[in-house]
Amino acid sequence: MKKNFKKFFDYLKKHIKGINRSIKLIKKKSSNSSRIFLFFDMWWSYIRYGVTYDEYRVFEFYLIPGYKRDTYMSKCRHQNLEKHLFDKDHLILLNSREKFYIKFKDYLNREFYSIKEMSFKEFEELALKKKELVCRSNSLKGESGTLTLNVKNFRSPAFLLDNAKKSGLNIVETSIKQNKLFESVNPHNMNTVSVVTLLCGKKVDIVSAYVKFGITEEDKYDVNSVKHITGIVDIKSGTIKHKLVCDEDEVYSEHPISKVKLVGLEIPLFDEIKNVASKCALEFDEALEVEWNFIISNTKVYLINANLWDDYVFVQLPMFSKNKVGLMPYYRDNVKKRRI
C-alpha cells in the first residue's frame, strides 16, 4: 500500500494540471459525480488498471463498473503486452522504406527505384514515360517526406531529380490514381485504409480496421500531414457503421467539404485489403501485431507502409462499443504468454 501511495503522489505532482483539466471536462458532460469522487476514482483506476487521467476521461470510466473496466487496454497495459508482441531490436524493416519495399515487393503493385542507384538517363526515361512520380524519404515513420512531382512543372527531368535530391528523398515510384469513390470524398490527399493484424501461430486475426479522409482543401499527398477524420470499418462487412472522429470531440456522419455521406459507406476492395494484410503478417513474424496501411485505386490495392499499432485507445471509444467492453479479453484469449 505504501508503494502505491508513493506511486500516486509522484504521478500527482507530475500531472496535477492535466488531472484538473480532465475533471473539468468530465463535469461538463456529467454532473452526477463530485470532484472528490472523480479525483480518487482516477487514482484507483491508475493503480488498478494502469489508466491515465486522459484515458479515464476518454473511456468514460466514471460510468463503467469495475468488472468492465478490467476489459480496457490502456497505454500501460499495452506496453506490458509489447514484450510478447515484438522485439524492438528486429524491427528495422518498419523503419527503412527500401528494406520494407524489397521484403513486400509482391504487394506494392507499383514500380519503385532507389534514386541513388539510378543513372540520370534511367530517371529521365522514367519521368518522361510516367509524367508524374512520387518521391519519398527512406524513413517509414510517417509520410511527411513525400512529394508528388510532375514533369510538366519542371523545365526538364533534371530539375525534377534535383528537387527530389535537395528534399532528401531516396525512393521514386510510379504514382497511383486514387479510387473514384475515395476521390469523390476527398480529392486533395491520398486517403488510406488500415488493417491491424495479430499473428497467432500460423493463423492471422484481424483486430481492427479503419479509414482516414482529409478534411481540408490543402493539397498534400499524405493524409496524416493534414487535418483528417478517422472511421472504424466493420471487419466483416467492410462498411463504416459509426460517425468518424477528428480530435476526439469532432464527429462527422458526412464529409464536411464534399458532403459525401460516410456512415454506411462500403470500402472498395476491402476483402482484398484484408487478404494482403494477412499474407504480409504471415511473412513478418518479427512482430505479431502490425498495422498495415493501404491506398486503393479502382482495381488494385497498394501497400504503402506498416507500423506498430498505437491507436488501441481510439478503437475503444464509447461510441464504438454498445456493451462498453475493451480489447483486453481478446488479447487474453489470443496472446497466451502470461496473464496480461
Side-chain angles (χ1 to χ4, degrees):
M1 181 63 78
K2 186 176 181 181
K3 185 179 178 180
N4 285 342
F5 271 108
K6 185 180 185 306
K7 183 180 178 182
F8 167 66
F9 283 116
D10 288 344
Y11 182 76
L12 183 63
K13 283 190 289 185
K14 188 176 180 180
H15 300 288
I16 186 63
K17 289 184 179 179
I19 292 171
N20 282 332
R21 186 188 71 245
S22 287
I23 289 175
K24 287 179 181 178
L25 290 172
I26 291 169
K27 289 295 289 180
K28 284 182 180 179
K29 289 185 71 175
S30 172
S31 58
N32 296 330
S33 302
S34 70
R35 291 177 182 273
I36 293 174
F37 170 81
L38 291 171
F39 179 83
F40 282 103
D41 197 38
M42 280 185 184
W43 166 64
W44 171 245
S45 297
Y46 175 66
I47 296 296
R48 176 66 181 85
Y49 308 109
V51 170
T52 66
Y53 56 85
D54 271 334
E55 290 171 337
Y56 178 94
R57 174 179 56 81
V58 168
F59 292 152
E60 296 183 353
F61 257 38
Y62 49 92
L63 299 177
I64 301 175
Y67 71 96
K68 285 192 175 181
R69 290 181 177 193
D70 195 40
T71 68
Y72 279 78
M73 174 79 76
S74 64
K75 181 179 180 180
C76 178
R77 283 182 163 183
H78 196 270
Q79 286 174 341
N80 290 332
L81 178 63
E82 286 172 2
K83 301 170 189 176
H84 311 297
L85 294 177
F86 55 82
D87 183 347
K88 289 186 177 181
D89 294 335
H90 295 88
L91 294 181
I92 189 171
L93 205 65
L94 298 184
N95 297 320
S96 168
R97 187 181 304 279
E98 193 166 357
K99 286 183 172 62
F100 182 86
Y101 277 16
I102 292 170
K103 171 75 173 178
F104 298 107
K105 61 181 183 298
D106 293 338
Y107 308 110
L108 299 179
N109 266 329
R110 61 193 183 280
E111 301 172 50
F112 71 94
Y113 307 90
S114 170
I115 291 178
K116 290 181 180 179
E117 295 177 5
M118 291 183 79
S119 66
F120 171 72
K121 186 176 181 180
E122 289 172 328
F123 186 90
E124 182 181 42
E125 288 175 354
L126 180 67
L128 292 174
K129 179 182 178 183
K130 299 297 182 181
K131 305 301 182 184
E132 185 174 82
L133 299 173
V134 176
C135 299
R136 303 179 187 268
S137 67
N138 194 43
S139 173
L140 277 173
K141 294 181 178 178
E143 293 293 318
S144 55
T146 300
L147 289 178
T148 303
L149 303 175
N150 197 305
V151 176
K152 69 180 181 182
N153 297 325
F154 295 87
R155 288 170 58 186
S156 73
F159 287 92
L160 190 155
L161 178 60
D162 185 59
N163 184 290
K165 287 183 175 179
K166 285 182 177 178
S167 300
L169 305 178
N170 312 91
I171 305 292
V172 59
E173 56 190 70
T174 51
S175 63
I176 301 166
K177 185 172 176 58
Q178 185 167 223
N179 178 273
K180 62 182 181 181
L181 175 60
F182 276 29
E183 187 79 5
S184 70
V185 176
N186 167 43
H188 301 286
N189 322 106
M190 295 302 281
N191 309 294
T192 60
V193 182
S194 300
V195 171
V196 181
T197 58
L198 183 68
L199 184 59
C200 309
K202 294 184 179 180
K203 175 191 171 187
V204 177
D205 258 16
I206 306 295
V207 181
S208 183
Y210 41 94
V211 62
K212 292 181 180 180
F213 295 111
I215 54 171
T216 73
E217 294 181 316
E218 189 177 1
D219 290 311
K220 284 190 174 182
Y221 189 90
D222 175 30
V223 73
N224 290 301
S225 66
V226 299
K227 189 174 182 180
H228 59 271
I229 49 178
T230 304
I232 298 291
V233 179
D234 182 73
I235 294 171
K236 291 183 178 180
S237 67
T239 59
I240 303 172
K241 292 191 173 182
H242 304 275
K243 291 182 179 180
L244 290 81
V245 181
C246 173
D247 297 332
E248 189 183 323
D249 296 323
E250 297 180 40
V251 293
Y252 299 85
S253 58
E254 64 177 29
H255 193 276
I257 297 175
S258 66
K259 303 303 179 183
V260 174
K261 185 181 177 183
L262 299 176
V263 176
L265 188 76
E266 185 175 347
I267 304 301
L269 304 174
F270 189 64
D271 285 340
E272 179 63 14
I273 291 171
K274 290 191 295 181
N275 183 45
V276 173
S278 297
K279 288 180 178 178
C280 291
L282 287 170
E283 292 186 22
F284 187 55
D285 59 4
E286 289 91 342
L288 303 186
E289 180 191 70
V290 180
E291 175 188 326
W292 307 93
N293 303 303
F294 299 89
I295 288 172
I296 56 174
S297 69
N298 290 336
T299 58
K300 291 183 179 179
V301 168
Y302 302 85
L303 177 64
I304 299 301
N305 61 23
N307 50 268
L308 299 177
W309 191 37
D310 60 4
D311 278 336
Y312 43 85
V313 171
F314 171 76
V315 302
Q316 296 175 105
L317 291 177
M319 64 182 292
F320 300 137
S321 174
K322 292 181 180 179
N323 300 320
K324 293 188 181 295
V325 174
L327 289 169
M328 286 304 294
Y330 171 81
Y331 280 91
R332 284 174 178 147
D333 287 341
N334 290 282
V335 182
K336 297 180 179 180
K337 297 288 185 181
R338 49 171 267 194
R339 188 182 185 280
I340 54 174

